[in-house]
């Protein structure tokens, strides 16, 4: 597994690029609960190979931690690091994504 970027190496442009994808934004919304999640428990109906790519993009951008645990890999949000680098950004993005999802569900 590739190393996670150090906190001071997390770049805003990479965070925005990673969060610009609807599936990755959905993953971040789920991880916002603060818990660790297995790869397959976050979103349904997406092939494992596709999810692997999206998790790698999120990890390389410094948005998530990945931790091996037996035969699984656990995902969690790097909230402390992101809040330290870009105060308020993560909360704003998650709140906006939740509002968008609520509006979509009403249609």
């Amino acid at each position: 597994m590739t190393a996670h970027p150090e906190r001071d190496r997390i770049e805003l442009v990479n965070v925005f690029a990673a969060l610009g994808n609807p599936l990755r934004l959905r993953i971040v919304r789920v991880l916002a609960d603060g818990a660790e999640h297995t790869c397959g428990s976050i979103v349904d109906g997406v092939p494992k190979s596709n999810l692997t790519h999206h998790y790698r993009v999120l990890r390389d951008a410094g948005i998530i931690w990945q931790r091996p645990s037996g035969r699984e890999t656990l995902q969690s949000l790097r909230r402390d690091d992101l809040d330290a680098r870009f105060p308020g950004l993560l909360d704003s993005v998650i709140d906006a994504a939740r509002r968008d999802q609520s509006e979509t569900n009403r249609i």
Side-chain angles (χ1 to χ4, degrees), residues 4-7 9-21 24-25 27-29 31-32 54-66 75-83 86 89-90 93-94:
H4 300 83
E6 296 295 325
R7 177 186 285 185
R9 298 279 190 190
I10 299 172
E11 297 180 16
L12 187 60
V13 67
N14 294 335
V15 171
F16 279 140
L19 294 176
N21 178 280
R24 290 193 288 264
L25 189 55
I27 291 167
V28 169
R29 271 197 343 259
L31 294 177
H54 289 291
Y55 292 134
R56 185 179 68 243
V57 170
L58 290 167
R59 182 197 64 222
D60 291 349
I63 298 170
I64 66 169
W65 290 115
Q66 289 185 307
Q75 324 293 322
S76 61
L77 199 56
R78 291 182 67 174
R79 180 171 284 283
D80 291 343
D81 290 335
L82 291 167
D83 287 346
F86 315 110
L89 175 68
L90 192 56
V93 167
I94 292 168

